[in-house]
Amino acid sequence: MRIAVVGTEDWRRLAVNEPLPCPFQPIKVHVEKGAKIVRITPWMGWCHGVRVLGGDWVPVTQDGLALLEQMVHSPSIFLPKSRHLHGTADGIALASLPERVLSEDVVLVGGSPNYYHWLVDNLPRLLMARGFAGHAKLLVPDNLLEFQRRTLELLGYSAQHLIPVSADECVVPNRMLVPSLLATSTFPHPDVVKLLRKYLLSVQHPPKASRRIFISRADAKSRRLLNEDELMPVLERHGFERVVIGQMSFDEQIRLYAEVDVLLAVHGAGITNMVFMPPKSKVLEIGCRQHPATFFSHLALVSGRSHQVLHGDAVMGAMDDNALAADWVLHPDVLTKALAQLG
């Protein structure tokens, strides 16, 4: 099937049958010292006879119009990673997929195993739409992880409210409520943080924050801090405790971060939980000179937390070409200088 990718305005004009009022205002933010302007315009509406591609979570009309903008995290680099949409000499083609027709109304939630994307992309679109969804069920991956199930439970959704979708099928519901993502590329709408704190943190009754923690990746497969033990005496002198969160439940993580005044962590999903730290708390992210990333600096900016990157280096093997898949080191002097500024 030939596919024509359209922009948001064309989609809303051609594919949305019942537009809905959006509770969140459009925003325009100057980032990168004013060199770039980010615009996020949240929207949602009911679509009739529109299929959704499992795994990609892209809506496609019966006549082949597809929407990437505000549906996937980074539209400009999505197609090479897509499971079902493929570039050809003649344009974009949709691979042949088994279709499942649904009689129910549904809400497009989607999702991937990535912790950051689930909290920043998928849950907020559900929270934006939930007041308009009625009894519609949620389209979610058929391989939800435990933290994903738990966040849905905290929002009042059990298995009976979900329609699991395989990554190798497309579904065609009766009506589908399509909410936009509340983030574009690596920049989230400020209301993302407000929504997560309102609906997830409020059930935890956090105490006053006073802890300084270092999130260790000793149990991870990549980005382990190879000289972590060398750095621990410096961290302990400044009141930090080492924590491994890989085996902690979602509830335990929320309770932990709600007590944190200063967070130190290597670039990774655990920094996403800064949204549960108190406003004006501090985040020190150990980054990598070979692969700078802006995810968490932008999340800190919209959530009112201070953020600083401590530049480390990837330890690359002869066959490695991806710094994010390597292990890292941080020079002790870099850490000492940053912690001295904390007081």
Side-chain angles (χ1 to χ4, degrees):
M1 181 179 183
R2 312 310 302 174
I3 294 296
V5 174
V6 298
T8 299
E9 291 305 314
D10 285 338
W11 178 271
R12 295 174 67 179
R13 178 172 55 86
L14 298 171
V16 174
N17 302 92
E18 304 170 51
L20 294 172
C22 184
F24 305 118
Q25 296 298 312
I27 66 161
K28 180 175 71 172
V29 181
H30 294 266
V31 297
E32 298 176 9
K33 298 181 178 180
K36 181 179 179 181
I37 298 177
V38 173
R39 291 180 173 85
I40 304 175
T41 303
W43 63 271
M44 56 184 166
W46 287 100
C47 300
H48 301 176
V50 169
R51 72 191 74 191
V52 64
L53 309 181
D56 284 344
W57 303 109
V58 171
V60 180
T61 66
Q62 294 176 346
D63 55 353
L65 300 181
L67 179 64
L68 303 183
E69 196 175 85
Q70 294 187 274
M71 291 292 112
V72 299
H73 179 71
S74 299
S76 63
I77 59 173
F78 174 76
L79 282 177
K81 301 184 293 184
S82 171
R83 297 180 66 93
H84 309 302
L85 299 175
H86 307 290
T88 70
D90 300 323
I92 300 173
L94 171 61
S96 178
L97 285 172
E99 285 192 356
R100 177 159 48 120
V101 178
L102 304 174
S103 59
E104 301 99 325
D105 292 345
V106 301
V107 181
L108 175 55
V109 177
S112 78
N114 184 284
Y115 188 86
Y116 170 90
H117 291 305
W118 178 255
L119 282 186
V120 175
D121 292 333
N122 302 103
L123 274 189
R125 78 188 317 191
L126 168 59
L127 292 171
M128 179 173 71
R130 66 183 305 182
F132 301 86
H135 297 291
K137 294 187 176 182
L138 312 183
L139 293 184
V140 295
D142 65 352
N143 57 349
L144 286 174
L145 298 177
E146 182 55 37
F147 75 86
Q148 295 171 313
R149 294 187 183 280
R150 180 55 181 155
T151 54
L152 291 171
E153 288 173 359
L154 290 171
L155 299 176
Y157 298 105
S158 61
Q160 66 182 1
H161 300 108
L162 311 179
I163 296 181
V165 178
S166 162
D168 296 314
E169 68 173 333
C170 72
V171 295
V172 186
N174 177 44
R175 292 194 311 160
M176 181 165 61
L177 176 48
V178 178
S180 70
L181 298 184
L182 285 171
T184 178
S185 296
T186 63
F187 203 96
H189 193 288
D191 284 318
V192 164
V193 177
K194 296 176 184 177
L195 286 169
L196 294 174
R197 291 181 65 83
K198 176 180 178 180
Y199 288 101
L200 297 177
L201 184 61
S202 61
V203 301
Q204 302 298 334
H205 307 293
K208 182 179 179 180
S210 59
R211 296 171 69 176
R212 294 182 170 188
I213 65 169
F214 163 59
I215 301 299
S216 170
R217 289 180 60 89
D219 62 338
K221 295 180 180 179
S222 63
R223 299 194 299 284
R224 289 165 295 202
L225 198 59
L226 294 182
N227 61 334
E228 181 175 308
D229 289 341
E230 177 189 3
L231 301 176
M232 280 311 301
V234 180
L235 290 169
E236 290 168 352
R237 285 198 300 271
H238 287 84
F240 282 81
E241 54 187 298
R242 175 162 43 185
V243 179
V244 179
I245 64 172
Q247 300 303 314
M248 296 176 67
S249 71
F250 182 75
D251 297 71
E252 291 170 335
Q253 290 187 47
I254 290 181
R255 285 194 292 269
L256 169 66
Y257 280 77
E259 298 176 3
V260 172
D261 180 52
V262 183
L263 169 68
L264 172 68
V266 174
H267 175 82
I271 304 180
T272 311
N273 284 333
M274 74 167 80
V275 300
F276 303 118
M277 293 165 53
K280 300 183 180 180
S281 50
K282 301 178 178 64
V283 178
L284 302 179
E285 176 184 358
I286 300 173
C288 175
R289 273 179 257 269
Q290 293 87 343
H291 196 294
T294 58
F295 286 82
F296 299 116
S297 61
H298 291 165
L299 186 58
L301 176 64
V302 301
S303 64
R305 282 107 182 120
S306 80
H307 176 271
Q308 180 182 351
V309 176
L310 311 186
H311 294 288
D313 291 286
V315 180
M316 309 284 281
M319 302 299 292
D320 294 334
D321 61 359
N322 182 1
L324 291 181
D327 292 323
W328 294 359
V329 294
L330 179 69
H331 196 286
D333 290 348
V334 175
L335 178 64
T336 299
K337 181 178 178 180
L339 297 186
Q341 294 173 350
L342 289 177

